[in-house]
Amino acid sequence: MCNIGRRQGWGVICGDGFGVLEALVVCRSIGLGYAAAAFQTDLFGGLDLPVVLSAVECAGNESSLAGCYHQHKATCSTRKETVAVVVCTRELADLEVNADELMRSAYLEDRQMYFLQCAMEENCLASSAYQLRRDETDWHLITRRLLRFTAKITNVGTASFRPAVPKHLWQFHQCHMHYHSMEVFATFDVLDGGGMKVAEGHKASFCLEDNQCTDGAKPGFACADYGDQGISVNCSDIYRHNIDCQWVDVTDLNPGLYTLKVSVNPEHKIPEMTYANNAAVCSMFYSETFVKIHDCVLRNP
């Protein structure tokens, strides 16, 4: 249970909106490592204590809750399930996007929609593609322009990265012939100069496995044959540029300068040591025949 100490008087943090980013700050500030989970519950009591912080919003990198946004007057919207509860751990996963691989591998491909039907089942093309399929009888002969790239995601933490849902709830994808263990694991956004999203891609479902390991680590997770899924410490899950949905549909994009943002675990559904390396934000030059991705930096999703 998240108690605030004597300097402010004993009290609790209102659980409304309290999540893993706020829990990260709590565990760090009290020297107990990283946030393994955050709950909003009165199961452990605390409703008889005064609320000393409410509407807390953290970026996750603050040294204490004092550096996070919170309401000036501590009040909860309801008296039920309002206490913030934190579970801390010393060992945790930490995913990092490999920006060098992203820059090195990016290219454009023009491909007929006939060959993209499996990907269309996962909503991996721009909305205009689905409109063409509804309106045009020869839609399957129409070409889409794809910005393809390889996503290499490495676990640089101290514990394995595992799916949030149990194995029996994984979904089997008939087109790809394997189970997907996560939804919204990765998002790919193209932003204009004003920061507005003008094109996007995503991996609506993901198969997590160890494709490449370093520093003596051995692969422990594989998607084949309904195997256990995850990413081991010092191992990488690599979704290569030629795999379905490993792209952004840029058919409707005008030539120009943009920003490409590739994020993993963007909704913070699975706790990590930090989220500061979960997104690669890159400059992007796009012409009708050429794309260049450069000057990538790692940031929060």
Side-chain angles (χ1 to χ4, degrees):
M1 185 168 63
C2 206
N3 286 326
I4 299 296
R6 294 185 181 276
R7 216 180 309 176
Q8 292 174 288
W10 283 108
V12 296
I13 299 173
C14 179
D16 292 354
F18 196 92
V20 69
L21 293 178
E22 291 72 34
L24 267 173
V25 176
V26 171
C27 293
R28 182 188 303 115
S29 65
I30 60 178
L32 292 181
Y34 311 100
F39 304 100
Q40 302 171 21
T41 180
D42 62 357
L43 180 63
F44 305 102
L47 292 183
D48 56 331
L49 295 172
V51 175
V52 295
L53 281 178
S54 61
V56 181
E57 294 183 17
C58 302
N61 57 357
E62 295 87 351
S63 59
S64 71
L65 290 179
C68 303
Y69 169 84
H70 56 273
Q71 286 182 342
H72 179 68
K73 183 179 180 180
T75 57
C76 283
S77 60
T78 174
R79 289 305 299 172
K80 292 186 177 180
E81 297 185 355
T82 58
V83 178
V85 176
V86 175
V87 178
C88 299
T89 182
R90 298 290 184 184
E91 308 291 329
L92 203 59
D94 183 16
L95 299 187
E96 182 174 276
V97 179
N98 189 306
D100 290 337
E101 185 68 28
L102 172 60
M103 291 185 286
R104 184 195 65 80
S105 61
Y107 66 98
L108 298 176
E109 180 191 36
D110 293 332
R111 195 161 179 81
Q112 285 183 331
M113 290 173 63
Y114 173 82
F115 300 104
L116 301 174
Q117 294 179 74
C118 184
M120 291 183 76
E121 291 184 16
E122 293 193 37
N123 199 32
C124 291
L125 296 182
S127 58
S128 59
Y130 299 91
Q131 187 66 44
L132 287 170
R133 187 170 63 177
R134 289 190 292 269
D135 296 344
E136 304 291 339
T137 56
D138 61 347
W139 62 268
H140 55 285
L141 300 177
I142 298 175
T143 297
R144 305 297 296 182
R145 172 155 293 183
L146 308 176
L147 165 59
R148 286 184 173 271
F149 52 87
T150 294
K152 181 178 181 180
I153 313 302
T154 304
N155 182 359
V156 298
T158 55
S160 295
F161 183 89
R162 299 300 305 274
V165 297
K167 197 170 185 178
H168 69 276
L169 293 179
W170 296 354
Q171 294 184 344
F172 185 77
H173 196 272
Q174 192 65 41
C175 269
H176 298 147
M177 297 301 292
H178 61 225
Y179 283 90
H180 290 173
S181 60
M182 284 192 68
E183 294 184 359
V184 195
F185 177 73
T187 56
F188 318 135
D189 298 327
V190 176
L191 312 174
D192 65 14
M196 181 170 293
K197 189 186 301 183
V198 291
E200 63 182 315
H202 66 283
K203 301 291 288 187
S205 299
F206 228 74
C207 161
L208 297 169
E209 63 181 358
D210 295 328
N211 298 126
Q212 186 180 89
C213 298
T214 60
D215 297 330
K218 295 182 179 180
F221 300 105
C223 297
D225 302 321
Y226 199 36
D228 287 335
Q229 293 190 22
I231 308 177
S232 302
V233 176
N234 294 327
C235 292
S236 301
D237 186 358
I238 304 174
Y239 266 68
R240 300 194 182 278
H241 56 82
N242 57 347
I243 295 177
D244 262 359
C245 298
Q246 192 56 49
W247 64 59
V248 179
D249 182 353
V250 294
T251 306
D252 305 320
L253 200 65
N254 294 321
L257 299 175
Y258 297 93
T259 296
L260 174 66
K261 182 178 180 181
V262 175
S263 306
V264 295
N265 196 15
E267 299 177 342
H268 314 114
K269 289 294 182 64
I270 297 179
E272 298 185 39
M273 294 170 66
T274 178
Y275 297 101
N277 50 359
N278 281 50
V281 180
C282 313
S283 297
M284 171 179 159
F285 171 72
Y286 171 67
S287 73
E288 294 181 350
T289 58
F290 176 75
V291 67
K292 178 178 175 59
I293 307 299
H294 60 102
D295 295 335
C296 294
V297 294
L298 296 182
R299 295 180 181 170
N300 284 298

